[in-house]
Amino acid sequence: MGLKRVGFIGLGIMGRPMAINLLKAGYPLTVWNRTRSKMEELIALGAYGANSPKEVAERSDVVITMVTDSPDVEEVILGPDGVIHGARPGLIVIDMSTISPAVTRRIASELAKKGVKMLDAPVSGGEKGAKEATLSIMVGGPRDAFEECLPIFEALGKKIVYMGPSGSGQTAKLCNQVICALNIQAVCEGLMLGAKAGLDLKKLLEAVSAGAASSWMLVNLGPKMIERDFKPGFKIRHQQKDLRLALELAAELKMPLPGTALVHQLLRIVEAEGLGEEGTQAAIIAMEKISGTKIVGEREGC
Ligand code: NAP
């Protein structure tokens, strides 16, 4: 049997390199993006550019969505021109965006009425992991659909873990985001303390990156913080969405998440500065504001 025909909806920071990796792995690919210009590169590489999510479904065995938030996934799957209207029994929908577990279960039950199975398969590893096909992928939904789609996941990531029924991939991702967000705050506080005390921050990074304080955030975002390179790999605005989703889940479960709530508020300072589209390393701005200290040099235009 040949490779499945894959459809890809949402060619943003993550979706674009993931779609390219599917093409490289040989999958016949149909793409759609709301802003059509972002489809051109993929079409030049051999993908078919569809006119709607509905048309993507009509041309595919498996449809992947990689958009922003719960309402966006609802729109591209259940909306007027959505995937559900081009779906036939046997189609599998994989949502790889980070959204609400409860909304995921609702979308899955709507699709099930049409004989369509849905997997929630959010990812971790950032733009770098998407480009290098080394993402960590956490999957919820029917186990048989997971097994059927495993080769597709293997073209996109390195660590693929089946978490359980619908919504459990998203729940795992929200736990991941809690850990990431507090980790970024830890990096900010350590670096700001060093800055205030007059240390050479490059030397500080060199020393602590090799010890017990090392982490993905320290190694990847620490240098960007001290270079004031705020170009987004993962946007502050999306981090805030994920922390909101984690806090909503925690509220449903009557679970206190004091550190997460604090970081969510600190990032509001960055958003209030108009920097929501910057990368999560811009979290350092909140620490600068409340400490009255610049990490290094002066930020232009502020
Ligand atoms: P992004 O660069 O902002 O891209 C978002 C994509 O979603 C764009 O293609 C956008 O289309 C599309 N979109 C948003 N709302 C839509 C709607 N209502 N209808 C149709 N298309 C819509 O975001 P990203 O960084 O790739 O993130 C995508 C998802 O992956 C998010 O859920 C994010 O939380 C998650 N994620 C991101 C990272 C990361 O490091 N960046 C890591 C793990 C997970 P337009 O081009 O028209 O705007």
Side-chain angles (χ1 to χ4, degrees):
M1 210 176 71
L3 290 174
K4 287 184 185 302
R5 296 171 305 154
V6 179
F8 207 105
I9 294 172
L11 304 170
I13 289 178
M14 296 295 282
R16 173 189 162 273
M18 291 165 73
I20 290 174
N21 285 334
L22 289 169
L23 275 179
K24 280 188 192 156
Y27 285 95
L29 195 70
T30 299
V31 297
W32 180 81
N33 194 73
R34 181 178 57 185
T35 307
R36 289 192 64 86
S37 56
K38 291 191 196 165
M39 288 164 48
E40 281 162 18
E41 182 189 8
L42 270 296
I43 293 169
L45 290 170
Y48 175 86
N51 290 308
S52 64
K54 173 175 180 273
E55 195 194 352
V56 174
E58 286 163 354
R59 295 177 53 91
S60 307
D61 304 311
V62 172
V63 174
I64 297 174
T65 52
M66 192 54 167
V67 292
T68 307
D69 201 350
S70 311
D72 306 311
V73 177
E74 282 183 309
E75 192 177 328
V76 297
I77 296 181
L78 304 178
D81 232 357
V83 168
I84 198 163
H85 302 293
R88 64 196 172 287
L91 179 79
I92 298 175
V93 172
I94 308 175
D95 177 38
M96 303 191 80
S97 333
T98 305
I99 68 161
S100 146
V103 172
T104 296
R105 287 190 287 271
R106 198 161 65 233
I107 298 172
S109 74
E110 286 303 312
L111 288 170
K113 291 178 193 162
K114 281 221 151 187
V116 176
K117 289 179 181 165
M118 178 177 176
L119 296 169
D120 45 302
V123 305
S124 181
E127 184 185 17
K128 187 169 185 279
K131 283 184 175 158
E132 294 170 2
T134 55
L135 291 167
S136 178
I137 308 177
M138 34 216 115
V139 191
R143 183 153 206 145
D144 56 347
F146 166 72
E147 275 156 17
E148 211 178 315
C149 294
L150 196 52
I152 294 173
F153 291 132
E154 284 168 347
L156 300 171
K158 214 170 179 180
K159 187 76 185 170
I160 296 124
V161 181
Y162 178 70
M163 297 300 305
S166 179
S168 52
Q170 293 295 356
T171 303
K173 172 68 183 179
L174 297 184
C175 301
N176 180 85
Q177 291 309 83
V178 166
I179 297 167
C180 287
L182 269 70
N183 205 234
I184 294 172
Q185 181 60 19
V187 172
C188 289
E189 292 195 17
L191 291 182
M192 283 306 290
L193 181 62
K196 189 94 179 178
L199 291 182
D200 177 329
L201 294 185
K202 285 197 173 137
K203 285 187 182 168
L204 177 63
L205 266 185
E206 188 187 345
V208 300
S209 296
S214 192
S215 66
W216 192 99
M217 295 303 169
L218 184 73
V219 170
N220 288 287
L221 300 187
K224 291 185 179 176
M225 286 178 189
I226 66 177
E227 282 156 21
R228 312 198 71 75
D229 169 9
F230 297 137
K231 183 172 175 286
F234 184 53
K235 295 171 189 165
I236 292 272
R237 179 167 64 85
H238 290 174
Q239 178 81 302
Q240 289 293 69
K241 158 188 70 87
D242 293 354
L243 298 187
R244 170 180 54 77
L245 292 169
L247 290 166
E248 281 170 9
L249 178 63
E252 282 165 31
L253 299 171
K254 300 199 172 15
M255 165 77 200
L257 291 182
T260 307
L262 175 63
V263 173
H264 192 46
Q265 292 298 320
L266 286 169
L267 292 181
R268 289 250 170 95
I269 299 173
V270 186
E271 290 183 298
E273 289 287 303
L275 301 172
E277 294 297 317
E278 303 283 14
T280 44
Q281 65 274 26
I284 198 75
I285 303 289
M287 284 306 295
E288 289 187 337
K289 288 276 161 194
I290 60 175
S291 68
T293 306
K294 292 273 181 196
I295 185 163
V296 265
E298 290 294 314
R299 190 155 55 96
E300 282 172 28
C302 287

